[in-house]
PDB file of all heavy atoms in Angstrom:
ATOM      1  N   ALA Q 582      55.679 -57.876  38.549  1.00 95.00           N
ATOM      2  CA  ALA Q 582      56.601 -57.437  37.484  1.00 95.00           C
ATOM      3  C   ALA Q 582      55.929 -57.694  36.219  1.00 95.00           C
ATOM      4  O   ALA Q 582      55.105 -58.664  36.069  1.00 95.00           O
ATOM      5  CB  ALA Q 582      57.914 -58.167  37.628  1.00 95.00           C
ATOM      6  N   PHE Q 583      56.363 -56.962  35.207  1.00 96.00           N
ATOM      7  CA  PHE Q 583      55.698 -56.965  33.862  1.00 96.00           C
ATOM      8  C   PHE Q 583      55.914 -58.434  33.239  1.00 96.00           C
ATOM      9  O   PHE Q 583      55.016 -59.031  32.724  1.00 96.00           O
ATOM     10  CB  PHE Q 583      56.308 -55.905  32.925  1.00 96.00           C
ATOM     11  CG  PHE Q 583      55.625 -55.881  31.589  1.00 96.00           C
ATOM     12  CD1 PHE Q 583      54.420 -55.121  31.444  1.00 96.00           C
ATOM     13  CD2 PHE Q 583      56.150 -56.576  30.520  1.00 96.00           C
ATOM     14  CE1 PHE Q 583      53.816 -55.049  30.161  1.00 96.00           C
ATOM     15  CE2 PHE Q 583      55.516 -56.579  29.262  1.00 96.00           C
ATOM     16  CZ  PHE Q 583      54.355 -55.804  29.068  1.00 96.00           C
ATOM     17  N   GLU Q 584      57.082 -58.956  33.430  1.00 96.00           N
ATOM     18  CA  GLU Q 584      57.437 -60.228  32.891  1.00 96.00           C
ATOM     19  C   GLU Q 584      56.560 -61.331  33.454  1.00 96.00           C
ATOM     20  O   GLU Q 584      56.097 -62.291  32.766  1.00 96.00           O
ATOM     21  CB  GLU Q 584      58.883 -60.566  32.974  1.00 96.00           C
ATOM     22  CG  GLU Q 584      59.862 -59.747  32.164  1.00 96.00           C
ATOM     23  CD  GLU Q 584      60.010 -58.349  32.621  1.00 96.00           C
ATOM     24  OE1 GLU Q 584      59.630 -58.066  33.795  1.00 96.00           O
ATOM     25  OE2 GLU Q 584      60.528 -57.444  31.921  1.00 96.00           O
ATOM     26  N   GLN Q 585      56.326 -61.203  34.757  1.00 97.00           N
ATOM     27  CA  GLN Q 585      55.542 -62.160  35.480  1.00 97.00           C
ATOM     28  C   GLN Q 585      54.144 -62.101  35.033  1.00 97.00           C
ATOM     29  O   GLN Q 585      53.407 -63.081  34.921  1.00 97.00           O
ATOM     30  CB  GLN Q 585      55.624 -61.868  37.002  1.00 97.00           C
ATOM     31  CG  GLN Q 585      54.823 -62.843  37.838  1.00 97.00           C
ATOM     32  CD  GLN Q 585      54.902 -62.561  39.341  1.00 97.00           C
ATOM     33  OE1 GLN Q 585      55.665 -61.618  39.784  1.00 97.00           O
ATOM     34  NE2 GLN Q 585      54.207 -63.240  40.181  1.00 97.00           N
ATOM     35  N   ALA Q 586      53.600 -60.836  34.823  1.00 97.00           N
ATOM     36  CA  ALA Q 586      52.234 -60.669  34.326  1.00 97.00           C
ATOM     37  C   ALA Q 586      52.083 -61.315  32.972  1.00 97.00           C
ATOM     38  O   ALA Q 586      51.071 -61.922  32.647  1.00 97.00           O
ATOM     39  CB  ALA Q 586      51.908 -59.167  34.324  1.00 97.00           C
ATOM     40  N   MET Q 587      53.140 -61.077  32.024  1.00 97.00           N
ATOM     41  CA  MET Q 587      53.007 -61.705  30.787  1.00 97.00           C
ATOM     42  C   MET Q 587      52.982 -63.209  30.816  1.00 97.00           C
ATOM     43  O   MET Q 587      52.210 -63.893  30.139  1.00 97.00           O
ATOM     44  CB  MET Q 587      54.196 -61.257  29.969  1.00 97.00           C
ATOM     45  CG  MET Q 587      54.158 -59.844  29.481  1.00 97.00           C
ATOM     46  SD  MET Q 587      52.783 -59.447  28.480  1.00 97.00           S
ATOM     47  CE  MET Q 587      51.579 -58.790  29.723  1.00 97.00           C
ATOM     48  N   ASP Q 588      53.815 -63.871  31.698  1.00 96.00           N
ATOM     49  CA  ASP Q 588      53.796 -65.271  31.860  1.00 96.00           C
ATOM     50  C   ASP Q 588      52.406 -65.765  32.285  1.00 96.00           C
ATOM     51  O   ASP Q 588      51.942 -66.809  31.797  1.00 96.00           O
ATOM     52  CB  ASP Q 588      54.909 -65.686  32.890  1.00 96.00           C
ATOM     53  CG  ASP Q 588      56.341 -65.496  32.289  1.00 96.00           C
ATOM     54  OD1 ASP Q 588      56.469 -65.346  31.125  1.00 96.00           O
ATOM     55  OD2 ASP Q 588      57.324 -65.438  33.155  1.00 96.00           O
ATOM     56  N   GLN Q 589      51.893 -65.023  33.265  1.00 97.00           N
ATOM     57  CA  GLN Q 589      50.571 -65.430  33.737  1.00 97.00           C
ATOM     58  C   GLN Q 589      49.499 -65.328  32.714  1.00 97.00           C
ATOM     59  O   GLN Q 589      48.537 -66.057  32.705  1.00 97.00           O
ATOM     60  CB  GLN Q 589      50.178 -64.644  35.010  1.00 97.00           C
ATOM     61  CG  GLN Q 589      51.136 -64.997  36.185  1.00 97.00           C
ATOM     62  CD  GLN Q 589      50.786 -64.111  37.373  1.00 97.00           C
ATOM     63  OE1 GLN Q 589      50.142 -63.098  37.310  1.00 97.00           O
ATOM     64  NE2 GLN Q 589      51.448 -64.416  38.575  1.00 97.00           N
ATOM     65  N   LEU Q 590      49.572 -64.222  31.905  1.00 97.00           N
ATOM     66  CA  LEU Q 590      48.614 -64.056  30.848  1.00 97.00           C
ATOM     67  C   LEU Q 590      48.695 -65.172  29.760  1.00 97.00           C
ATOM     68  O   LEU Q 590      47.689 -65.765  29.316  1.00 97.00           O
ATOM     69  CB  LEU Q 590      48.814 -62.698  30.119  1.00 97.00           C
ATOM     70  CG  LEU Q 590      47.973 -62.370  28.915  1.00 97.00           C
ATOM     71  CD1 LEU Q 590      46.496 -62.315  29.310  1.00 97.00           C
ATOM     72  CD2 LEU Q 590      48.390 -61.001  28.289  1.00 97.00           C
ATOM     73  N   PHE Q 591      49.916 -65.555  29.365  1.00 96.00           N
ATOM     74  CA  PHE Q 591      50.048 -66.608  28.404  1.00 96.00           C
ATOM     75  C   PHE Q 591      49.629 -67.942  28.933  1.00 96.00           C
ATOM     76  O   PHE Q 591      49.084 -68.831  28.215  1.00 96.00           O
ATOM     77  CB  PHE Q 591      51.546 -66.674  27.868  1.00 96.00           C
ATOM     78  CG  PHE Q 591      51.841 -65.452  27.022  1.00 96.00           C
ATOM     79  CD1 PHE Q 591      53.061 -64.721  27.247  1.00 96.00           C
ATOM     80  CD2 PHE Q 591      51.023 -64.946  26.067  1.00 96.00           C
ATOM     81  CE1 PHE Q 591      53.440 -63.673  26.535  1.00 96.00           C
ATOM     82  CE2 PHE Q 591      51.345 -63.888  25.252  1.00 96.00           C
ATOM     83  CZ  PHE Q 591      52.561 -63.166  25.460  1.00 96.00           C
ATOM     84  N   ASP Q 592      49.871 -68.204  30.180  1.00 96.00           N
ATOM     85  CA  ASP Q 592      49.477 -69.413  30.851  1.00 96.00           C
ATOM     86  C   ASP Q 592      47.914 -69.402  30.875  1.00 96.00           C
ATOM     87  O   ASP Q 592      47.303 -70.505  30.745  1.00 96.00           O
ATOM     88  CB  ASP Q 592      50.069 -69.553  32.316  1.00 96.00           C
ATOM     89  CG  ASP Q 592      51.477 -69.850  32.299  1.00 96.00           C
ATOM     90  OD1 ASP Q 592      52.081 -70.222  31.233  1.00 96.00           O
ATOM     91  OD2 ASP Q 592      52.098 -69.586  33.400  1.00 96.00           O
ATOM     92  N   LEU Q 593      47.251 -68.314  31.105  1.00 96.00           N
ATOM     93  CA  LEU Q 593      45.854 -68.261  31.199  1.00 96.00           C
ATOM     94  C   LEU Q 593      45.233 -68.602  29.802  1.00 96.00           C
ATOM     95  O   LEU Q 593      44.330 -69.286  29.745  1.00 96.00           O
ATOM     96  CB  LEU Q 593      45.433 -66.801  31.618  1.00 96.00           C
ATOM     97  CG  LEU Q 593      43.921 -66.444  31.493  1.00 96.00           C
ATOM     98  CD1 LEU Q 593      43.121 -67.373  32.534  1.00 96.00           C
ATOM     99  CD2 LEU Q 593      43.695 -65.070  31.781  1.00 96.00           C
ATOM    100  N   VAL Q 594      45.815 -68.070  28.753  1.00 94.00           N
ATOM    101  CA  VAL Q 594      45.262 -68.215  27.474  1.00 94.00           C
ATOM    102  C   VAL Q 594      45.637 -69.631  26.929  1.00 94.00           C
ATOM    103  O   VAL Q 594      44.830 -70.333  26.215  1.00 94.00           O
ATOM    104  CB  VAL Q 594      45.741 -67.093  26.489  1.00 94.00           C
ATOM    105  CG1 VAL Q 594      45.330 -67.422  25.021  1.00 94.00           C
ATOM    106  CG2 VAL Q 594      45.185 -65.821  27.008  1.00 94.00           C
ATOM    107  N   GLY Q 595      46.889 -70.039  27.129  1.00 88.00           N
ATOM    108  CA  GLY Q 595      47.344 -71.377  26.640  1.00 88.00           C
ATOM    109  C   GLY Q 595      47.379 -71.379  25.081  1.00 88.00           C
ATOM    110  O   GLY Q 595      47.736 -70.356  24.460  1.00 88.00           O
ATOM    111  N   ASP Q 596      46.841 -72.455  24.480  1.00 73.00           N
ATOM    112  CA  ASP Q 596      46.854 -72.606  23.086  1.00 73.00           C
ATOM    113  C   ASP Q 596      45.691 -71.862  22.406  1.00 73.00           C
ATOM    114  O   ASP Q 596      45.633 -71.921  21.125  1.00 73.00           O
ATOM    115  CB  ASP Q 596      46.787 -74.064  22.692  1.00 73.00           C
ATOM    116  CG  ASP Q 596      48.084 -74.849  23.180  1.00 73.00           C
ATOM    117  OD1 ASP Q 596      49.112 -74.216  23.293  1.00 73.00           O
ATOM    118  OD2 ASP Q 596      47.912 -76.044  23.481  1.00 73.00           O
ATOM    119  N   ALA Q 597      44.796 -71.288  23.190  1.00 69.00           N
ATOM    120  CA  ALA Q 597      43.572 -70.690  22.632  1.00 69.00           C
ATOM    121  C   ALA Q 597      43.947 -69.353  21.848  1.00 69.00           C
ATOM    122  O   ALA Q 597      43.024 -68.934  21.176  1.00 69.00           O
ATOM    123  CB  ALA Q 597      42.541 -70.375  23.748  1.00 69.00           C
ATOM    124  N   SER Q 598      45.046 -68.774  22.108  1.00 60.00           N
ATOM    125  CA  SER Q 598      45.354 -67.516  21.417  1.00 60.00           C
ATOM    126  C   SER Q 598      45.703 -67.750  19.991  1.00 60.00           C
ATOM    127  O   SER Q 598      45.690 -66.854  19.247  1.00 60.00           O
ATOM    128  CB  SER Q 598      46.585 -66.822  22.147  1.00 60.00           C
ATOM    129  OG  SER Q 598      47.724 -67.594  22.046  1.00 60.00           O
TER     130      SER Q 598
END
Side-chain angles (χ1 to χ4, degrees):
F583 186 86
E584 292 75 15
Q585 183 182 356
M587 289 298 97
D588 290 342
Q589 292 174 351
L590 175 62
F591 291 133
D592 288 344
L593 170 64
V594 175
D596 297 333
S598 61

